[in-house]
């Protein structure tokens, strides 16, 4: 079980955003995930992931289905969004400098960023 790490002053280090959670769904091989599976990919406990997923469900970002007495399957209902920094970089990019996807795939193969 991965727990969020504290720094030397006792404060939690890395902050996990809703977008971080959505990215785990995006890169997963399965269409649905459990809170424990998500916790395995994030610096959070399964109970913290459950709390986050319930809040995200209220915001319409994920949904769930009970699949057994204590089993719940979760899935994203939206695609991950660009961070404000990434959006600004995309907006500022010069389309004349763009590289076609097939050229990138030829150069780098099918490697998926994680």
């Amino acid at each position: 079980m991965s727990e969020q790490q504290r720094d030397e002053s006792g404060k939690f280090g890395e902050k996990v955003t809703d977008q971080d959670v959505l990215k785990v769904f995006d890169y997963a091989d399965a269409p649905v995930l459990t809170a424990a599976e998500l916790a395995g990919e994030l610096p959070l406990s399964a109970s913290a992931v459950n709390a986050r997923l319930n809040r995200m469900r209220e915001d319409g970002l994920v949904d769930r289905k009970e699949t057994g007495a204590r089993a719940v399957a979760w899935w994203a209902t939206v695609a991950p969004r660009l961070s404000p920094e990434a959006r600004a970089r995309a907006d500022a990019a010069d389309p004349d400098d763009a590289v076609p996807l097939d050229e990138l795939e030829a150069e780098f193969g099918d490697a998926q960023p994680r």
Side-chain angles (χ1 to χ4, degrees):
M1 176 185 305
S2 62
E3 297 286 336
Q4 189 172 7
Q5 300 297 312
R6 294 178 186 261
D7 64 17
E8 293 175 9
S9 66
K11 295 181 181 178
F12 287 114
E14 187 177 349
K15 180 180 180 193
V16 176
T17 66
D18 289 352
Q19 184 174 356
D20 294 329
V21 176
L22 293 171
K23 284 179 185 177
V24 176
F25 283 107
D26 191 41
Y27 290 121
D29 292 331
V32 298
L33 297 170
T34 65
E37 290 170 324
L38 286 160
E41 299 295 322
L42 298 166
L44 298 172
S45 67
S47 61
V49 170
N50 251 325
R52 171 65 66 89
L53 289 169
N54 281 310
R55 188 189 52 71
M56 290 175 67
R57 184 175 186 222
E58 291 173 6
D59 294 340
L61 301 174
V62 297
D63 207 352
R64 65 177 260 164
K65 178 178 180 167
E66 292 182 18
T67 58
R70 295 180 45 128
V72 176
W74 293 91
W75 62 92
T77 58
V78 298
R81 296 183 187 119
L82 291 176
S83 68
E85 297 83 16
R87 170 65 65 196
R89 286 179 44 216
D91 291 343
D94 182 357
D96 293 332
D97 288 338
V99 177
L101 181 59
D102 57 343
E103 287 181 27
L104 289 174
E105 287 175 341
E107 184 174 346
F108 297 106
D110 284 338
Q112 292 289 323
R114 291 232 174 212

